[in-house]
Amino acid sequence: MLSDYAFLGLLLIAAILFPLAAMFMAFLIRPKKPDPTKQSTYECGLETIGETWVRFRVQYYIYALVFVIFDIETVFLYPWAVAYNQLGLFALVEMFIFLGVLVGGLLYAWRKGVLEWF
Amino acid sequence: MPFLNDLFVNLSSWIHGFLAHFLPLWAADLVMMLFTIACLIAFAVTTIIFINWLERKVIGRIQDRYGPNRVGPLGILQCVADMIKMLTKEDITPAQADRLIFNLAPVMVVVPTFMVLAVIPFGRGMVAADLNVGFLYIMAVSSLTTIAILLAGWGSRNKYSLLGGVRVVAQMMSYEIPMVLSALGAIMLTGSLSMVSIVAGQSRVPFILLQPLGFLIYLTSAVAEVNRAPFDLPEAESEIIAGYHTEYSGIKYAMFLLAEYVNAFIVSAIAATLFLGGWQGPLLPSYIWFFLKAYAIYFVLMWLRGTLPRLRIDQLMGLAWRFLVPLALVNLLVMGLVITLTQRKGLFSLVLVSLVANGLIVAAVVIIYAFAIWRRRQVKVTT
């Protein structure tokens, strides 16, 4: 098992080196003729107006909050699923209650209009 | 035939034995690890060459044209030509861009792709690292792609790139939840997160017969998770040019392309492993079965791309949160109930009860939707 993780560590290094090597190879052989027009921001021929890094809509943050709740829930569900066959009826009832609370939260968010995209 | 069955496993143990003759054991292990890594990366690169050609051919056929047919027999060398073109193409970095983030993104988007390949069982004994937390590892690592794509959108300093980037985050995190929930069924049935054990658990019956609904939920959210049509809003040409990779050219664009296609193959491979029994099958060698199944699912992905129009963003988010998440939760509970009810009753009753339960869920969904449509009509009539 430990050697598996050593393998993953080596793979991580190789996976970082591969794109770097490809980019370096391209750097050696590609032409380089920079030009202010070429390097301007691409907007189908128009000049870009105003600041790009603007604040974006609050909807994304609300979705992110709902996501965090459900993601943590799925992390709790993994050990439950692995041990399911050994736990029997108790696990089933407990998970009904746990998911019930979460479904209640989802329904509340739904009623509040969080899941509307407008 | 037994020789062909374990071809790659025998080859690897033979090389290891050969190295152990004149190297200490740890050095032989190390060389084998490096060799495996080289194999995985070579596999990823050949996969993108083959899959890109196959996809263009199949989409061409669906749209009643030939697809690439000039370079090499049947156009198979087209992707090689494309790769040479991308290597020699000038790299344009926008003057406005945040250079560090702009250059970091294409590196970061490739890393999770290679990392996930390590735990996929390609055949009997053909897994690079059999982690006992295999599936959890896949979900954890593959969600890093989201961050890389957001970096690409942010670092380009282009309004369309930024829009594409934030769309990717919203879409990928929404669809991650039904994806994980639908895969839990396979984990409950085997009692293990290891991909090898999940395949071994399907020796008698593939899990698609026990949870067809889970398979469909997984497939839908997997297509959305890898940003493919009809869920390709982050790179919708008609709305936001090319989304997060608008400003990328040359080899950096090739990195995004590689990650996208190999990720699409990886989700097909995971679907084949979790639901179709992985490498198990009669007569043919195990790795051939695995690739047959994975490419069958990949063909469905191509088919969807060739035939379905793109969704709207509100439809996309609605499909995830109002349909797939509740459905996956119900499916999970019903699956638990079925497993508990049919414990010690034999395989046949498990399959039968699962199919009936899945049918009941589908019937319930149809009734609820019919009721919702009927009520909406009533409201319209009264107001």
Side-chain angles (χ1 to χ4, degrees):
Chain A
M1 187 40 75
L2 205 61
S3 72
D4 281 342
Y5 285 102
F7 174 80
L8 288 182
L10 282 175
L11 181 61
L12 178 65
I13 296 168
I16 294 170
L17 285 181
F18 173 78
L20 288 179
M23 277 155 78
F24 180 70
M25 209 166 98
F27 170 76
L28 291 181
I29 55 179
R30 73 187 170 212
K32 192 156 172 61
K33 298 191 194 76
D35 181 290
T37 322
K38 208 190 267 175
Q39 286 179 308
S40 62
T41 303
Y42 182 76
E43 254 176 49
C44 300
L46 299 174
E47 297 264 331
T48 175
I49 301 170
E51 177 58 32
T52 305
W53 290 337
V54 290
R55 285 180 251 175
F56 33 91
R57 56 191 307 158
V58 72
Q59 207 72 30
Y60 288 103
Y61 297 96
I62 297 173
Y63 269 109
L65 282 178
V66 183
F67 164 74
V68 167
I69 296 162
F70 270 86
D71 211 34
I72 292 171
E73 172 220 330
T74 51
V75 171
F76 279 127
L77 280 173
Y78 273 106
W80 171 78
V82 170
Y84 186 77
N85 279 324
Q86 286 121 54
L87 293 177
L89 199 64
F90 169 70
L92 185 68
V93 174
E94 200 189 41
M95 200 41 62
F96 259 98
I97 296 167
F98 180 58
L99 287 184
V101 175
L102 275 159
V103 169
L106 183 68
L107 285 178
Y108 176 74
W110 196 332
R111 293 285 292 182
K112 279 280 176 186
V114 170
L115 305 183
E116 303 284 335
W117 190 279
F118 44 82
Chain B
M1 220 48 191
F3 167 70
L4 273 181
N5 273 339
D6 292 322
L7 179 64
F8 292 100
V9 178
N10 289 341
L11 207 61
S12 119
S13 65
W14 181 77
I15 295 172
H16 186 266
F18 178 71
L19 286 170
H21 270 302
F22 48 88
L23 283 176
L25 197 62
W26 64 268
D29 283 343
L30 188 70
V31 172
M32 278 317 287
M33 277 182 188
L34 294 176
F35 183 65
T36 316
I37 288 170
C39 286
L40 283 182
I41 290 180
F43 170 76
V45 175
T46 41
T47 299
I48 183 183
I49 289 178
F50 178 66
I51 248 178
N52 194 336
W53 170 79
L54 186 73
E55 178 142 3
R56 285 162 78 174
K57 248 352 204 188
V58 170
I59 299 269
R61 283 291 163 187
I62 289 172
Q63 295 168 347
D64 207 8
R65 54 194 174 79
Y66 288 113
N69 65 349
R70 282 289 173 268
V71 193
L74 290 170
I76 195 150
L77 293 176
Q78 182 66 50
C79 296
V80 179
D82 285 349
M83 269 171 91
I84 294 169
K85 186 193 80 176
M86 279 172 177
L87 264 176
T88 53
K89 210 166 145 78
E90 185 182 354
D91 176 61
I92 299 166
T93 309
Q96 296 261 309
D98 187 333
R99 294 190 77 93
L100 176 67
I101 295 180
F102 186 80
N103 290 319
L104 186 65
V107 178
M108 219 177 127
V109 82
V110 178
V111 173
T113 311
F114 288 144
M115 295 295 284
V116 170
L117 279 177
V119 294
I120 292 176
F122 291 100
R124 189 186 292 120
M126 282 168 64
V127 60
D130 177 22
L131 296 187
N132 53 4
V133 289
F135 189 73
L136 193 62
Y137 167 84
I138 289 179
M139 292 322 292
V141 173
S142 62
S143 59
L144 288 177
T145 313
T146 320
I147 300 170
I149 294 178
L150 180 64
L151 283 185
W154 183 265
S156 304
R157 202 156 186 175
N158 178 324
K159 294 192 183 70
Y160 297 103
S161 295
L162 183 63
L163 275 175
V166 290
R167 275 187 184 184
V168 163
V169 176
Q171 173 175 336
M172 285 175 81
M173 71 186 193
S174 299
Y175 280 88
E176 200 174 306
I177 290 161
M179 192 168 169
V180 170
L181 288 176
S182 60
L184 274 172
I187 294 158
M188 276 158 77
L189 285 163
T190 28
S192 170
L193 285 167
S194 153
M195 298 299 271
V196 175
S197 309
I198 289 174
V199 175
Q202 301 178 68
S203 55
R204 289 179 304 165
V205 57
F207 288 156
I208 187 173
L209 284 179
L210 302 176
Q211 35 179 345
L213 207 56
F215 176 68
L216 288 179
I217 297 170
Y218 180 86
L219 204 62
T220 315
S221 33
V223 175
E225 193 69 13
V226 295
N227 307 321
R228 284 173 62 94
F231 302 108
D232 59 347
L233 281 110
E235 40 194 289
E237 307 88 343
S238 52
E239 301 168 21
I240 50 173
I241 313 181
Y244 57 87
H245 54 58
T246 300
E247 295 286 7
Y248 284 92
S249 59
I251 192 75
K252 290 178 194 159
Y253 174 73
M255 290 297 133
F256 284 104
L257 205 70
L258 184 139
E260 197 179 318
Y261 278 94
V262 179
N263 278 335
F265 174 77
I266 285 173
V267 294
S268 320
I270 295 171
T273 308
L274 289 181
F275 295 99
L276 298 186
W279 45 260
Q280 290 182 337
L283 291 175
L284 292 171
S286 56
Y287 44 92
I288 292 187
W289 267 113
F290 174 81
F291 283 107
L292 278 180
K293 287 169 181 174
Y295 275 104
I297 292 178
Y298 193 78
F299 179 76
V300 175
L301 259 60
M302 292 191 279
W303 196 357
L304 291 175
R305 180 178 162 185
T307 45
L308 290 181
R310 188 178 292 135
L311 269 73
R312 249 179 13 234
I313 183 102
D314 60 324
Q315 292 170 330
L316 179 92
M317 300 303 276
L319 178 67
W321 287 103
R322 297 181 196 171
F323 185 71
L324 289 178
V325 170
L327 188 65
L329 285 173
V330 170
N331 185 40
L332 184 66
L333 288 177
V334 170
M335 203 59 219
L337 206 60
V338 167
I339 294 174
T340 309
L341 281 179
T342 57
Q343 234 163 15
R344 292 183 291 278
K345 290 254 171 58
L347 192 65
F348 182 69
S349 61
L350 178 62
V351 174
L352 201 68
V353 175
S354 310
L355 285 178
V356 170
N358 273 291
L360 285 179
I361 298 174
V362 173
V365 169
V366 170
I367 289 172
I368 289 172
Y369 264 73
F371 181 69
I373 291 168
W374 177 75
R375 242 183 80 182
R376 198 174 292 166
R377 284 214 185 124
Q378 293 294 101
V379 171
K380 260 186 202 155
V381 170
T382 48
T383 49

